[in-house]
């Protein structure tokens, strides 16, 4: 399989970027998309050229470090799949593909396909801690949690923080990410003591990071490799509103 790639090349955050054309030959359908880029980088290195910078770690769809736009689609054409899990069998011989980084003010480009997603880390940090009583651990079955709440919490916890939701959103909103992190603990007994403070803190930090507002386009859930539902955004809005009314000095005017 032979491909033509148009890849965004940018040497540094403040440098001007440009799309550069590359031809890649001898690609097999069994290769992952990142392995295909590894092949291209090996060739570029052997020729004395700078390899293409992209992020990866686990390459199993768990860590969330990979991710870029492929022909304008976050993580590429396969639904529910991160770039590291995307295989070349989804493409055909002779295709031309355009690769570019996430485009969002909150995700400044560092180099080529690599962006700074530390804004997501700061949103998580703004959520603070979870109260953990000291002493002997309680028996696991003492605190009864409805099955529906457990399943919803686990679905929200599947978020890997890749940033595809932000990249796919026309407003570059991080509402799906933030909603997933708020819902994860908000649905469980362990998260109840700080539930209101957590919702206010994370939403305020999300706004401070220059993410856009959610206008319910739904592109985020379509791009999410873990298929997280926009229901978590509704839960986040409800928790924030309830917290703002209960604690007007932190989140709102109480009206």
């Amino acid at each position: 399989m032979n491909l033509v790639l148009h890849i965004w090349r940018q040497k540094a955050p403040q440098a001007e970027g440009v799309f550069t054309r590359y031809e890649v030959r001898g690609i097999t359908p069994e290769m992952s998309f990142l392995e295909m880029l590894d092949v291209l980088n090996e060739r570029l290195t052997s020729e004395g050229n700078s390899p293409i910078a992209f992020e990866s770690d686990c390459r199993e769809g768990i860590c969330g470090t990979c991710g870029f736009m492929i022909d304008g689609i976050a993580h590429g054409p396969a639904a529910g799949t991160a770039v590291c899990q995307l295989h070349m069998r989804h493409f055909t011989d002779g295709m031309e593909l355009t690769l570019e980084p996430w485009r969002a003010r909150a995700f400044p480009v560092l180099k080529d396909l690599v962006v700074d997603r530390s804004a997501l880390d700061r949103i998580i940090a703004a959520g603070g801690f979870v109260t953990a009583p000291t002493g002997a651990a309680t028996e696991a079955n003492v605190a009864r949690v409805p099955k529906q709440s457990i399943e919803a919490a686990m679905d929200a916890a599947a978020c890997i923080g890749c940033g595809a939701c932000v990249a796919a959103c026309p407003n570059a909103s991080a509402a799906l990410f933030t909603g997933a992190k708020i819902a994860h603990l908000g649905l469980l007994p362990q998260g109840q003591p700080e539930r209101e403070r957590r919702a206010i803190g994370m939403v305020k930090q999300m706004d401070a990071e220059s993410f856009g507002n959610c206008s319910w386009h739904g592109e985020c859930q379509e791009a999410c490799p873990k298929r997280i539902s926009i229901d978590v955004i509704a839960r986040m809005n409800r928790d924030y509103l309830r917290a703002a009314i209960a604690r007007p000095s932190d989140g709102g005017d109480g009206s």
Side-chain angles (χ1 to χ4, degrees), residues 196 200 239-255:
E196 293 179 357
I200 289 177
D239 280 5
Y240 180 82
L241 180 61
R242 182 169 58 186
I245 293 174
R247 303 167 57 154
S249 61
D250 291 337
D253 58 7
S255 60

Side-chain angles (χ1 to χ4, degrees), residues 74-89:
H75 286 300
T81 304
V83 168
C84 62
Q85 298 173 298
L86 181 66
H87 287 81
M88 299 311 298
R89 58 178 172 267

